[in-house]
Amino acid sequence: MKRVAALFAILMIMMVPFAGAATAAKPQDPRASIITQTKLWYYLYIGGESKFHRLYNESVSAGIDNTTLQTVMQLYENASAEYKVALSYGNPLESKNIAWLPFIVHMRKAYVTLRDAISLLEDALKGLEARNA
């Protein structure tokens, strides 16, 4: 998780436009922002996927109800499907010849859906801990 947070911080710093004469003399490529955002969503999804698996295994072993687990698994399957659609446009780490805009739309949707699944798991685990305390 610390690695994802550090990567996120680095990417956010890269997204901040530089002020001063150096940027005034050199026009920025409008695609650079899209490419950076695309890679950000990609890395957030990859980091979220490992967190999801860890929380899901904890939830199963803790005895979270099946309804919640089914809902969470459906969200994860939807996120995975969006991720596969995004990758059908290319991989941002391997190719510069990908369709960036369709990729970013599907990758963002994949991450947001995965984030919802993670949030449900975290809430269910917190609720279980509160009941057991």
Side-chain angles (χ1 to χ4, degrees), residues 26-97:
K26 178 182 163 189
Q28 291 185 341
D29 184 6
R31 293 177 298 160
S33 176
I34 292 171
I35 293 169
T36 303
Q37 289 178 35
T38 302
K39 290 180 180 180
L40 173 68
W41 291 117
Y42 177 80
Y43 284 123
L44 286 171
Y45 180 85
I46 298 300
E49 199 170 32
S50 62
K51 183 176 182 179
F52 170 81
H53 290 299
R54 182 180 52 81
L55 287 172
Y56 186 82
N57 290 335
E58 283 179 28
S59 298
V60 169
S61 63
I64 299 295
D65 63 288
N66 285 337
T67 306
T68 302
L69 292 176
Q70 287 174 350
T71 302
V72 164
M73 189 51 72
Q74 183 63 45
L75 286 170
Y76 176 71
E77 289 170 0
N78 293 345
S80 295
E82 286 294 328
Y83 176 74
K84 288 176 185 172
V85 170
L87 288 182
S88 72
Y89 293 101
N91 187 328
L93 305 180
E94 296 173 1
S95 172
K96 294 187 181 212
N97 297 325

